[in-house]
Amino acid sequence: MAAPMAEFSNCAVPCVLPSRTMTTSDETFIPQGRTSSVRSTLRWFAPYLRGQRTLMVGVMFAIVVLLAAQTLLPLVVEELLHHGSWEMGLGALLVALVVIQLVSAHLSHLGGHHLANLGGHALRQRVFARTLASDTLHQSHMVRSSIVSRHTSDVDRVAEGFEATLISGVPGVARVVLSLGMLIVLEWRAGLAMAVAATAFAIYRRQLGHHLLRIDRARADASSRTGASVDESITGALTIRGLHLEPWQQKRFSARSHRLEEVSGHQGRATAWLFTGAHLTGLAGLVVVVVFALIAGGESLAAVAAAILYVEGVVRGLEALPPWMRSVQMAAVSEVRIDQILDLEDRTTVPAPGSMSIVATRGSITLDRLTTNSGSGLSLNDTTLTLPAGQIIGLVTPVGSEPDTLLALMAGDSDPQSGCILLDGLDVRMPGVGERIAFVPTEATAFDASILDQLHAVDPDLDAARALALLDEVGLGHLAELPAGLNTVLGHSGMDLTLAERQRFALAVALAAQPDVLLIGPILALAESETALPLIDRLRSSTVTTVVLGVRSADVADAVDAMMFIEDGDLSLDSHQSLLASNHAYTDHWLQRLTPGAVDLSVLGIDDSRVGELQTRLVTETYAAGDLIYRQGEPADRIVFTVSGRVEITIDGPDGPRRVAILGPGNHCGDLRLRAGERRPESARALDDCVVRTLSREAISAGMMGMLERSPLERRILASALRHGSFTIDQLRERFPELTSQDIDHALTLLTGDGAVRCQDGTYTVVHRSNAKVGAASVLDQLSDL
């Protein structure tokens, strides 16, 4: 007996986990020599219990009182039965010990669960904060599901291991030791009255079980929503960092984690009542045994009753050990998994500010001896360059690389191989500097929150009128028409929006933050001049000092103030026309961009001589299975040609969405109703991972009307007429406030001179001229309605 008692007193689970070196992969290896001991579990969890000393002392006191009552109760029973009659003093002591056991057991379980719950909440908060600060969101060390499980199930296992140790393991060991000691001097025979008590407990357990089932489901839901916040942060990592949404996202995560804590509290209270019912069953059996002994009489019955209680203590103590040991083992493994996040270094290295000097020009970005090799075909070699402040600068990168790589570096989201990027003379990775830069990545993500809530994440004082104005500025004014308006919740990762809408919404959030520098990836709105040029004009009139944006269109490149071009480790900065004249690699780059795609445009009924030019205006878009391509009721802005994958077409009805077609490669959807203000009569959603190519309303109209060879200003006026209908000069000036009256008059003179528009009583109307082709009748009939 000495060996087991010594083992229990050390409070260690006799199992040494495999001795392997811990890695940062998804596999969980235990460090060399690590054991799943209670001591190590308590030591590891202790930092997250700071500030809970009073609660801890109270729980330990309740456990000591419980153990004392359990030890004294058999002795009182033996003494009472030995006298063979009821004595008021001993009877009162017996009742008092029963009440003390019930109360102290309930309080210890309730307090122990609450303590573990608070510690789990604090641990979960720290893991999430570390996830935001480290490289975990890039999934370079572990996959998404593994990251999520470290925030939820692993934290739960550690908290459960601590709770089991506090309210089951240590008291169980102590009870075994005390009961074995007392049995040395006592003996026992047997008792049968427990059957009635056990039946009563089964009925009680059945009634409470239904309540516990509902609580368990609620906790599972709360845990899932907490995990969904982490998953959103992983999906929208670039958006969170580019727009500096870390505090807002941390606040949302804290709210969901707090909800999980509340539901877990309800679960713990129900479980505590269940334990109390079981304990009451045992004590009821004790009462029956005592009554039976008193009726039967005999001095030996006193020793029998006391011995039964001590044996019951040994059995219950031993029964508590296996699940406790298992809980501690699982907690030890989860500790290692969590440490794989907690031990990661910060994503970026904060430099010392001593050698830096603040420059006078606000919004000035400098690449200082920058060397980087991203492994994605984009590299710079010891590059030093200052971007002029107060300008809109385009960025093009070699085919096969993404501008987002350099833009993320400029936003301070990663470390270069050497050198640095400065904003007004300060490294962008320094605290307080990067917050002045907003970055809208190509893979922009919205969140499972309302439109207004997400705008308030960067500007808590933003009112509804300004929010509506921001949405209108980025081409999302139609979102205000949704049933809930600005209070519309956008779904997990913003999946209720299309990719283009998510990108534009991220831009609206960036503008709401009023940064000094705005970095924009090659989003779909910048893919062609008809949508990009109005957006660029709005950026010029905003409070942003310097804008750098990814460019995929030659017209957009010509509209910005300067272009950056990266080739073979070198970075060139000049106007678009100057680079075309002096840089052969830059010229070759645009020739590659203008290669026609394999899309049949004959369905549009456009003259063959204009199809080649329209091919260059096709925009490639990719969608994951389940992504929304366009929504019923939104403005009809483009036609969609399926290159790969399948697209589902649905129509909303009184019973929900109804499928009307499935389109495969070679088909198209979204046939444009080219009347001004036309809305989509159907929705399109990707059934598989899809690649599509799209052509905008303006580009199609331009091809039909011979607009493609006109100047950008003439095309903008014609595109505006196609989108909004006939116009007057005053209306045109309101639509293009950045244009001078001389510019507008000159463009209108050219358009009326060659018959593109006609003027009657001061109102200008587009004159449609198109060559009829087989299959184009319906499109031309719609054009005639303009």
Side-chain angles (χ1 to χ4, degrees):
M1 185 180 299
M5 291 177 64
E7 180 181 307
F8 291 148
S9 64
N10 288 331
C11 292
V13 178
C15 173
V16 179
L17 296 172
S19 178
R20 300 187 65 175
T21 303
M22 184 178 67
T23 68
T24 55
S25 69
D26 283 327
E27 298 181 42
T28 303
F29 295 145
I30 305 300
Q32 186 75 23
R34 175 79 177 254
T35 63
S36 54
S37 69
V38 175
R39 184 177 301 174
S40 63
T41 297
L42 295 177
R43 187 186 305 115
W44 192 92
F45 197 66
Y48 308 103
L49 298 174
R50 288 182 182 144
Q52 307 299 330
R53 178 175 296 180
T54 301
L55 180 59
M56 174 68 82
V57 171
V59 172
M60 295 303 298
F61 178 76
I63 291 174
V64 171
V65 171
L66 173 63
L67 291 173
Q70 290 173 343
T71 303
L72 292 175
L73 186 63
L75 299 178
V76 174
V77 170
E78 181 189 18
E79 186 66 21
L80 187 61
L81 295 178
H82 180 72
H83 285 78
S85 60
W86 183 263
E87 290 190 7
M88 186 60 65
L90 290 175
L93 181 58
L94 176 65
V95 173
L97 289 175
V98 169
V99 173
I100 290 173
Q101 280 198 63
L102 285 171
V103 174
S104 59
H106 183 75
L107 292 178
S108 64
H109 277 77
L110 192 62
H113 179 81
H114 186 52
L115 194 62
N117 199 20
L118 292 175
H121 176 63
L123 173 59
R124 193 175 288 114
Q125 293 278 69
R126 188 190 170 201
V127 175
F128 187 71
R130 196 74 214 122
T131 297
L132 291 176
S134 67
D135 206 33
T136 305
L137 293 184
H138 289 165
Q139 303 180 62
S140 56
H141 300 286
M142 56 196 75
V143 299
R144 176 186 302 181
S145 59
S146 187
I147 298 172
V148 173
S149 67
R150 282 160 170 79
H151 289 77
T152 53
S153 57
D154 282 313
V155 172
D156 287 341
R157 289 193 190 102
V158 173
E160 289 164 3
F162 170 79
E163 180 180 355
T165 299
L166 187 61
I167 65 177
S168 298
V170 173
V173 171
R175 187 170 187 182
V176 169
V177 174
L178 291 172
S179 296
L180 288 175
M182 296 304 296
L183 279 174
I184 296 175
V185 295
L186 294 173
E187 61 177 2
W188 65 280
R189 300 179 194 176
L192 299 175
M194 291 296 296
V196 175
T199 302
F201 174 73
I203 297 173
Y204 173 77
R205 170 67 180 84
R206 181 179 178 83
Q207 296 298 322
L208 187 59
H210 294 301
H211 181 56
L212 267 174
L213 180 61
R214 291 192 295 269
I215 295 177
D216 290 341
R217 288 175 178 172
R219 189 190 184 285
D221 179 68
S223 180
S224 177
R225 289 180 61 83
T226 302
S229 288
V230 182
D231 188 66
E232 272 190 342
S233 301
I234 296 170
T235 304
L238 288 178
T239 303
I240 290 175
R241 292 166 181 166
L243 301 178
H244 312 296
L245 300 178
E246 290 94 339
W248 177 72
Q249 190 69 343
Q250 181 78 56
K251 181 180 179 181
R252 294 180 67 242
F253 178 84
S254 297
R256 292 186 174 185
S257 180
H258 182 65
R259 169 59 181 164
L260 179 58
E261 177 195 349
E262 288 180 342
V263 178
S264 296
H266 295 323
Q267 185 186 51
R269 285 189 286 273
T271 304
W273 279 113
L274 181 63
F275 172 84
T276 302
H279 200 58
L280 179 62
T281 301
L283 293 176
L286 165 65
V287 173
V288 173
V289 170
V290 172
V291 172
F292 177 78
L294 288 174
I295 294 173
E299 296 185 359
S300 61
L301 290 177
V304 169
I308 287 177
L309 292 179
Y310 284 123
V311 170
E312 186 263 348
V314 172
V315 171
R316 290 186 60 183
L318 291 175
E319 288 177 344
L321 294 181
W324 169 49
M325 293 175 183
R326 176 60 179 160
S327 179
V328 171
Q329 288 174 334
M330 294 178 65
V333 174
S334 291
E335 289 165 14
V336 175
R337 286 169 51 84
I338 293 172
D339 279 335
Q340 291 174 347
I341 291 180
L342 297 181
D343 293 342
L344 289 176
E345 297 181 354
D346 286 345
R347 185 176 63 257
T348 57
T349 303
V350 179
S355 59
M356 302 175 187
S357 58
I358 301 177
V359 299
T361 305
R362 190 172 182 84
S364 175
I365 297 180
T366 300
L367 281 63
D368 186 13
R369 300 185 301 277
L370 188 68
T371 298
T372 179
N373 188 350
S374 67
S376 60
L378 182 62
S379 62
L380 294 173
N381 299 322
D382 198 29
T383 300
T384 297
L385 180 70
T386 297
L387 306 184
Q391 294 190 4
I392 295 181
I393 302 170
L395 170 64
V396 291
T397 58
V399 175
S401 63
E402 292 296 332
D404 279 3
T405 304
L406 179 60
L407 295 178
L409 197 66
M410 296 172 67
D413 188 55
S414 58
D415 289 327
Q417 186 174 335
S418 65
C420 60
I421 297 179
L422 307 176
L423 173 60
D424 300 340
L426 298 175
D427 195 301
V428 295
R429 294 167 294 175
M430 294 180 60
V433 179
E435 284 75 6
R436 295 169 51 199
I437 302 174
F439 173 34
V440 179
T442 306
E443 295 297 328
T445 304
F447 301 93
D448 189 14
S450 70
I451 295 172
L452 196 58
D453 189 20
Q454 296 183 62
L455 292 171
H456 282 164
V458 296
D459 184 2
D461 299 325
L462 188 74
D463 57 26
R466 175 56 182 154
L468 291 172
L470 278 173
L471 293 177
D472 191 59
E473 287 176 15
V474 299
L476 293 178
H478 60 277
L479 294 183
E481 301 173 9
L482 294 172
L486 294 177
N487 294 319
T488 300
V489 177
L490 300 182
H492 177 63
S493 297
M495 294 307 295
D496 290 345
L497 302 179
T498 66
L499 174 61
E501 287 175 328
R502 291 197 296 270
Q503 292 172 338
R504 288 177 180 266
F505 185 67
L507 181 58
V509 175
L511 291 174
Q514 300 184 355
D516 292 335
V517 176
L518 177 58
L519 310 175
I520 309 174
I523 61 177
L524 295 175
L526 299 175
E528 52 185 349
S529 59
E530 284 77 11
T531 55
L533 297 184
L535 190 57
I536 290 174
D537 290 337
R538 293 187 181 98
L539 292 175
R540 291 189 189 280
S541 62
S542 70
T543 59
V544 180
T545 303
T546 304
V547 178
V548 181
L549 47 86
V551 174
R552 295 285 174 83
S553 164
D555 286 340
V556 176
D558 195 39
V560 299
D561 300 316
M563 288 293 299
M564 285 194 297
F565 176 61
I566 300 175
E567 182 69 22
D568 296 331
D570 295 325
L571 192 152
S572 304
L573 178 66
D574 211 331
S575 69
H576 175 61
Q577 296 298 331
S578 297
L579 287 174
L580 287 175
S582 61
N583 192 314
H584 295 296
Y586 186 77
T587 304
D588 292 341
H589 169 84
W590 287 112
L591 290 175
Q592 294 180 63
R593 294 281 188 190
L594 295 177
T595 301
V599 172
D600 181 13
L601 298 180
S602 63
V603 296
L604 300 175
I606 296 175
D607 189 271
D608 290 338
S609 63
R610 296 169 181 165
V611 169
E613 178 68 20
L614 274 182
Q615 288 275 7
T616 67
R617 292 174 174 266
L618 287 163
V619 177
T620 301
E621 303 177 17
T622 59
Y623 294 91
D627 281 356
L628 188 67
I629 299 176
Y630 60 79
R631 183 194 309 103
Q632 181 175 337
E634 72 178 23
D637 59 350
R638 70 201 195 284
I639 189 169
V640 179
F641 297 89
T642 306
V643 177
S644 67
R646 297 177 301 159
V647 175
E648 179 187 43
I649 306 299
T650 60
I651 295 177
D652 291 338
D655 298 326
R658 177 172 59 90
R659 176 185 290 179
V660 296
I662 295 179
L663 306 179
N667 291 290
H668 68 280
C669 58
D671 292 328
L672 297 182
R673 286 73 175 169
L674 294 174
R675 293 182 292 270
E678 189 67 31
R679 300 282 177 159
R680 297 282 191 194
E682 77 285 328
S683 298
R685 188 179 297 271
L687 275 181
D688 314 307
D689 291 345
C690 290
V691 176
V692 302
R693 303 201 77 191
T694 62
L695 196 63
S696 70
R697 164 198 294 274
E698 289 80 5
I700 295 173
S701 304
M704 289 181 171
M705 301 174 55
M707 288 167 50
L708 298 175
E709 66 275 10
R710 297 186 180 277
S711 68
L713 178 54
E714 291 175 77
R715 292 206 301 271
R716 289 183 64 189
I717 292 176
L718 288 174
S720 174
L722 289 169
R723 184 178 293 273
H724 303 289
S726 301
F727 60 90
T728 64
I729 291 181
D730 290 338
Q731 289 173 331
L732 204 61
R733 287 170 179 166
E734 291 178 2
R735 295 175 190 171
F736 306 107
E738 72 282 358
L739 300 179
T740 64
S741 297
Q742 183 178 359
D743 291 335
I744 293 177
D745 292 340
H746 179 66
L748 287 177
T749 300
L750 294 176
L751 291 171
T752 54
D754 61 11
V757 299
R758 63 171 176 262
C759 180
Q760 183 176 358
D761 298 330
T763 300
Y764 291 83
T765 306
V766 174
V767 178
H768 300 288
R769 298 174 299 169
S770 180
N771 297 326
K773 294 190 64 166
V774 176
S778 62
V779 178
L780 296 178
D781 288 343
Q782 292 168 6
L783 278 172
S784 66
D785 294 335
L786 283 170

